[in-house]
Amino acid sequence: MHPAVPAPALRRADLDWLRVLAFGLLIFYHAGMAWSGWSWHVTSPDSLDGLREAMRFLNRWRMPLIFLVSGAAIMLALGDRTPAAFVRDRLKRLALPLALGMAVIVPPQVYLERLYRGQVTGSFLQWLPHAFDGVYPKGNLSWHHLWFVAYVLVLTLVLLPVFLWARSPSGRAAVAKSGRIAARFGLQWTMVLPLAASTLWLAPISWNINGLVGDWHGVVSYGALLLYGAFIFGSSDMLASLERQRFFSLAVGIIAYACLYAGYFAGTVRPIIPPEARPLFALLSAFNVMAWLFAIIGFAHRYLTWRPAFLAEATEAVYPFYLIHQTVTVVVVYWLLKMGAPPVAGFTMAVVATFAGTWLIYAGLVRPWPWLRPLFGMKAAVSGERRSLPRRAAGL
């Protein structure tokens, strides 16, 4: 008979903080893409090398962090629901906003990209009948930044049997025991191996990055990170160990990234990794990812345990902000580039305008209307009614 292992609490302050901060980084990241020197939907001929290097550093762990946090949030959202009820909830919170995004939120981005590159002329309304002609990049139908929603939806359904087992009494006992053993012997670092193997063997044959079908490396690595999040935040011993070792993990992350930068990134815009260098690159990349994730979780578990009044509001706003923000960014950057804004000023104005514009849309059009809220992954209840409902993680 398995020992009684308590189910996890419905809310965690450190998870909410990490979710808000990780998604908040996306606004800075996407606002900087136009001046990074990397090709984007609307790209400035001028680049900011320092900005690109900062984004390159973030790029090594920002999406892994979001997927890891999402794995923990999936377990909280699952709770004691039946599988059918959980699947219905995921379809409502993920598939419905994804459909809205592809039909309403993303098309302005595609139009402005085509307009900026001289591929179309005329107004948005004149172009709109062609919004669903073909699949991007040759056509116009795309999920753009909403690829994350598609991946989480598909991976959640595929991995649902694992999550269901993990929330059972035997599963919780197994996770707790594994966490104790891993914490005692430092076995959390074995999480590096699947990520390294995916980078080594699957990345070279992946041909549709962020497109789900054909993105073998993305599917495997992000699926592993979802499971890592469920495991780490399901084990109090693992969390305590990561908190104790937070400075060691930080040191490993700094060293691993320094080696990656010196060996592969320095002096390049987009590095080309030769086949003979790929094994070492894969191992360094995986150590870099997990070290930064372990350090971030450790520091969050140590310091982000308080819940200020704004955190609940920010947690609720994160998902709609994510859905809306990139369209605001593309609109703002398009006009800044058309006006010839200098790079530093342009980036700064893009960040500020994205936050402000997204907030205005969220606060003025999404949050107040019960019929519109579910389209953005929110519960329909508002004001006092919303506060009376039990708090569950959004599963992102």
Side-chain angles (χ1 to χ4, degrees), residues 102-190:
M102 295 178 68
V104 177
I105 297 174
V106 171
Q109 298 181 43
V110 179
Y111 165 72
L112 288 176
E113 175 183 339
R114 304 294 190 220
L115 188 64
Y116 185 74
R117 297 181 179 182
Q119 297 169 337
V120 300
T121 57
S123 69
F124 177 69
L125 292 179
Q126 291 172 321
W127 173 85
L128 194 55
H130 304 285
F132 307 110
D133 292 351
V135 177
Y136 186 89
K138 292 183 178 179
N140 296 324
L141 178 63
S142 175
W143 51 41
H144 270 36
H145 67 296
L146 304 182
W147 67 269
F148 165 75
V149 180
Y151 276 58
V152 170
L153 174 60
V154 171
L155 289 171
T156 299
L157 297 180
V158 170
L159 297 174
L160 184 57
V162 181
F163 290 119
L164 289 171
W165 169 81
R167 70 100 180 255
S168 68
S170 61
R172 292 201 300 272
V175 168
K177 182 177 180 180
S178 299
R180 286 194 298 272
I181 295 173
R184 181 177 180 183
F185 297 103
L187 297 181
Q188 70 270 20
W189 291 101
T190 60

Side-chain angles (χ1 to χ4, degrees), residues 88-311:
R88 286 195 299 270
D89 178 76
R90 295 302 88 184
L91 292 174
K92 181 173 66 175
R93 294 209 176 203
L94 296 172
L96 188 59
L98 178 60
L100 170 76
M102 295 178 68
V104 177
I105 297 174
V106 171
Q109 298 181 43
V110 179
Y111 165 72
L112 288 176
E113 175 183 339
R114 304 294 190 220
L115 188 64
Y116 185 74
R117 297 181 179 182
Q119 297 169 337
V120 300
T121 57
S123 69
F124 177 69
L125 292 179
Q126 291 172 321
W127 173 85
L128 194 55
H130 304 285
F132 307 110
D133 292 351
V135 177
Y136 186 89
K138 292 183 178 179
N140 296 324
L141 178 63
S142 175
W143 51 41
H144 270 36
H145 67 296
L146 304 182
W147 67 269
F148 165 75
V149 180
Y151 276 58
V152 170
L153 174 60
V154 171
L155 289 171
T156 299
L157 297 180
V158 170
L159 297 174
L160 184 57
V162 181
F163 290 119
L164 289 171
W165 169 81
R167 70 100 180 255
S168 68
S170 61
R172 292 201 300 272
V175 168
K177 182 177 180 180
S178 299
R180 286 194 298 272
I181 295 173
R184 181 177 180 183
F185 297 103
L187 297 181
Q188 70 270 20
W189 291 101
T190 60
M191 294 180 185
V192 163
L193 298 179
L195 300 186
S198 181
T199 300
L200 178 61
W201 292 317
L202 297 181
I205 64 172
S206 297
W207 53 270
N208 191 21
I209 307 303
N210 296 347
L212 194 61
V213 177
D215 185 14
W216 318 118
H217 172 52
V219 168
V220 169
S221 60
Y222 291 140
L225 287 161
L226 286 177
L227 296 178
Y228 290 174
F231 169 68
I232 290 172
F233 283 91
S235 169
S236 58
D237 291 290
M238 192 75 266
L239 287 171
S241 175
L242 294 182
E243 179 183 335
R244 289 193 302 271
Q245 298 179 26
R246 61 191 183 276
F247 287 105
F248 174 75
S249 298
L250 179 62
V252 172
I254 292 172
I255 293 170
Y257 187 75
C259 292
L260 282 172
Y261 192 84
Y264 303 97
F265 300 152
T268 69
V269 176
R270 288 190 180 275
I272 298 176
I273 312 300
E276 64 273 13
R278 185 164 289 278
L280 180 58
F281 174 79
L283 192 61
L284 282 172
S285 293
F287 265 106
N288 178 72
V289 168
M290 293 312 305
W292 284 103
L293 295 184
F294 290 157
I296 290 168
I297 294 170
F299 280 100
H301 191 251
R302 175 67 176 85
Y303 297 109
L304 299 182
T305 57
W306 51 294
R307 188 183 294 278
F310 78 87
L311 184 59

Side-chain angles (χ1 to χ4, degrees), residues 29-30 32-47 52 55 59 113-114 116-117 119 136-137 144 210 269-270 326 337:
Y29 187 87
H30 288 149
M33 280 298 295
W35 294 277
S36 67
W38 299 326
S39 177
W40 198 53
H41 308 301
V42 283
T43 306
S44 172
D46 302 312
S47 62
R52 180 178 63 249
M55 292 169 62
N59 209 28
E113 175 183 339
R114 304 294 190 220
Y116 185 74
R117 297 181 179 182
Q119 297 169 337
Y136 186 89
H144 270 36
N210 296 347
V269 176
R270 288 190 180 275
Q326 185 164 292
L337 295 183

